[in-house]
Structure formats: C-alpha cells, structure tokens
Amino acid sequence: AAKGGGRGQFRFYSDDLQNAANDRREIEEDLRDAIAAETLEMHYQPQVDTQTHQVKGFEALMRWEHPEHGFISPGVFIPIAEDSSLIDDLGTWALRQSCKDAAAWPGELPVSVNVSARQFLNEELPEVVEKALKDSGLAPSRLELEITESVFMGDMSMTETMFASLKKLGVKLSLDDFGTGFSSMSYLSKAPFDKIKIDQSFVRGCAGEAKSNLAIVVAIAGLARALDMTIVAEGVEAMDELEIICRQDIDLVQGFIFSRAIPQDQIMAKLDSGEMQYEPVGPAVQRAE
Ligand code: C2E
Ligand code: MG
Ligand code: MG
Ligand code: MG
C-alpha cells in the first residue's frame, strides 16, 4: 500500500507539474495578447517623506486583469515574462506608459520604473529609455530605474557599461529589494545608485518580535547614508512599524500604511487638488492581505 501510495503521489506530483507548465504557457500567451490589446495598466504607489508625510514620488507597478482568471499579480506574471523575450515588450511598454503618465503630474515628482535583470542585460535598453523620455517630454532626472541585486550576478563589465550608459542619459538608479539577494557591500559602493530600497521582509514586523529585522534595517540605512543614497523603507503596513521607521535615518516610506498603488486618474485627481500630503491609514484597515 505504501508503495502504491508512493506511486500515486508521484503521478499526482507530475500532473501538478504538467498543470503548472500549461498554466505558464497559457499565461505567456494571454500576456502576449494583453500587450497587443493594450489591456495592461500601470498603477502608482506613493513614496512618502518620513518626517512631513509629503509625497515625494511614485513607483509604477504593472496591473493585469486577466479576461477569465481576474487579477493576476505581477509577482506571478513578471517571472514568466522574464523566462521569454516577452519581458522586453512588457518592459518597454511599462517605461513608455510610466513616462507619459508622470509627464502629466504637476510639479517635479519622479516616477520609479522596475527594470528586470533580463531587460537590463539587453543592450538596447538605453535607446528605449531615451526614446521614452523624448516621446513623453519627461525630464530625465524625473525617471528612476529600479533594479535588483541580481544584475551583479552576470557579467560585471556589461553591468558597469549599462550603468554608465544610463547615467549618461541623466536618469536615476535605484536598488530594489535590498538585502534579499547577493547584497554585496563592495558592489554597493562601486555602483552609481541614487536610492536604495530596504526590502519589505526586513521592514515587516521590525517593531515587534523581529528584533534582528530592526538591526538589519538600521545597518542598511547607515551604510546607504554613508554612500549618500536616498533610503526607502518598503512594505510598511502597521502604525508601530511606521513609528519605528520614522525614528531611523530613513528618508521615505512606501507601504500600504499610506496607500496601495492607484491608477493614473486617481493620482491626477489628488495632485490636481494640491493634496501632496498622505496620512497613515487607521488601524481598522491595517494588516491588509
Ligand atoms: P517591487 O518592485 O519590490 O514592488 C513593491 C511590491 O510591494 C508591490 O507589489 C507593492 O504593491 C508591494 N507593497 C508595497 N507596499 C506594501 C505593503 O505595505 N505590504 C505588502 N504586503 N506589499 C506592499 P506588486 O505590485 O504585486 O509587484 C510585485 C513585484 O512585481 C514588484 O516588486 C516587481 O518586482 C514586479 N513588478 C511589478 N511591476 C513591474 C513592472 O512594470 N516591470 C517589472 N520588471 N517588474 C514589475
Ligand atoms: Mg520595485
Ligand atoms: Mg521592492
Ligand atoms: Mg520584489
């Protein structure tokens, strides 16, 4: 019986794998259609000053409402797109749309756009960025590209050439999810990052039981300060987390405590009415998800 069960389990497992592969293929095909049909959207999540609660910029986050399966998280479909050349089309679209939207925002607020490692290794990226800036009229200094530590794992001379080409365009570079990947301090000091984002896995719970998380947050902030980078704490959800983050040497907070990513029309309505301030969302809606 044990043996039969084992075989059964194996079959069950391989069916699951097959389903997962089919799902991936389906998602990939549907994503290709979505790019063509222009049914993807960019939403924007504010980055808020820890001291004044003023908005200082927004991160562009892709949103996809699948015709049958409903909302699919970019945490699911971006890695699938990265496994194919789809990420190039997707990434180009995200850049162009984000630059266009940001160009309509009043004031000089910057937009941060995620660039995946595969996009970063595509030598056409500087041209794509330059064209997105030119076509939208967005000043290069208002565009920030968010990349992760994974770009340090490839060919370093290519990575350094790309850094130089992008900096030459006048855009800003931001290091996303810091602490989750390679986290090499020597690369951090060599690479021309303007901003560093402390990953939400260290920020979450840093006010409570997770004392080592707070120690990591403080250490990263100290290092980034010494290197003259703007420091962002990602994923702040709760009031106690916000309070402790605001007592550290951290410039900006991005988290559900202030707002999730919202569509362009809502950003415009808020900014046009001169509302530059965010207030923490009350305890009743804390701890979303
Ligand atoms: P990321 O770049 O680290 O983006 C931050 C993610 O954290 C977003 O998830 C955001 O909604 C979420 N977040 C922000 N504050 C909180 C919070 O307080 N609590 C919790 N639980 N989550 C919070 P999202 O939009 O689901 O995106 C997931 C990832 O997908 C992004 O992580 C990024 O790696 C990727 N992604 C999203 N849009 C794009 C895009 O246009 N291009 C590329 N290449 N990647 C993208
Ligand atoms: Mg990001
Ligand atoms: Mg992040
Ligand atoms: Mg991430």
Side-chain angles (χ1 to χ4, degrees):
K3 207 176 171 198
R7 254 204 311 269
Q9 255 175 358
F10 176 74
R11 208 184 42 184
F12 186 66
Y13 181 52
S14 66
D15 280 354
D16 259 11
L17 277 185
Q18 191 54 52
N19 288 339
N22 288 342
D23 287 351
R24 284 179 79 87
R25 241 190 323 268
E26 192 197 330
I27 287 180
E28 202 182 309
E29 275 163 24
D30 294 349
L31 204 47
R32 198 164 275 135
D33 293 343
I35 297 171
E38 298 183 50
T39 53
L40 295 162
E41 282 184 30
M42 295 309 290
H43 285 197
Y44 302 93
Q45 186 182 26
Q47 296 182 345
V48 176
D49 187 294
T50 46
Q51 304 311 310
T52 64
H53 293 185
Q54 277 215 345
V55 59
K56 296 293 180 183
F58 295 90
E59 177 176 17
L61 294 161
M62 203 177 287
R63 296 292 177 253
W64 181 27
E65 173 113 38
H66 188 282
E68 292 144 57
H69 306 308
F71 174 76
I72 300 181
S73 164
V76 171
F77 70 79
I78 292 286
I80 294 175
E82 276 174 335
D83 281 345
S84 71
S85 56
L86 259 188
I87 193 63
D88 291 317
D89 287 347
L90 214 55
T92 299
W93 176 81
L95 262 169
R96 296 183 62 78
Q97 188 63 43
S98 302
C99 288
K100 190 172 156 214
D101 285 346
W105 300 342
E108 298 292 303
L109 291 168
V111 64
S112 308
V113 182
N114 291 285
V115 172
S116 79
R118 185 166 169 149
Q119 253 181 297
F120 188 82
L121 291 174
N122 186 332
E123 56 187 19
E124 283 167 24
L125 181 64
E127 281 165 55
V128 170
V129 170
E130 192 172 20
K131 185 144 195 311
L133 289 167
K134 193 161 162 267
D135 292 348
S136 64
L138 188 74
S141 59
R142 290 179 59 198
L143 175 63
E144 224 168 63
L145 303 179
E146 291 197 4
I147 56 181
T148 62
E149 294 157 89
S150 56
V151 301
F152 295 127
M153 299 209 254
D155 178 343
M156 267 313 284
S157 72
M158 267 179 76
T159 298
E160 277 164 14
T161 305
M162 186 56 82
F163 280 142
S165 311
L166 293 173
K167 290 304 293 190
K168 217 170 123 195
L169 293 176
V171 302
K172 302 268 166 59
L173 295 178
S174 176
L175 183 54
D176 202 0
D177 301 345
F178 188 74
T180 58
F182 206 48
S183 304
S184 164
M185 294 201 210
S186 62
Y187 286 150
L188 194 60
S189 64
K190 270 187 274 173
F193 291 111
D194 302 281
K195 205 183 222 182
I196 189 167
K197 301 182 80 176
I198 306 175
D199 190 68
Q200 49 181 288
S201 59
F202 304 118
V203 172
R204 192 77 37 71
C206 69
E209 62 298 345
K211 282 229 163 46
S212 59
N213 276 4
L214 181 59
I216 292 169
V217 168
V218 170
I220 296 175
L223 177 66
R225 180 64 65 216
L227 296 169
D228 244 353
M229 296 175 187
T230 300
I231 306 158
V232 187
E234 283 197 288
V236 175
E237 286 187 355
M239 195 57 94
D240 57 352
E241 290 163 8
L242 181 67
E243 277 166 4
I244 206 150
I245 289 295
C246 290
R247 271 185 263 133
Q248 312 308 317
D249 191 12
I250 289 172
D251 304 290
L252 303 171
V253 162
Q254 184 182 339
F256 293 172
I257 186 87
F258 286 117
S259 175
R260 289 167 184 256
I262 56 174
Q264 169 77 351
D265 56 347
Q266 286 181 38
I267 300 275
M268 288 305 288
K270 189 171 166 81
L271 296 179
D272 277 342
S273 66
E275 257 185 83
M276 300 298 276
Q277 205 85 7
Y278 273 85
E279 291 310 323
V281 176
V285 283
Q286 278 180 21
R287 290 273 166 220
E289 289 182 359

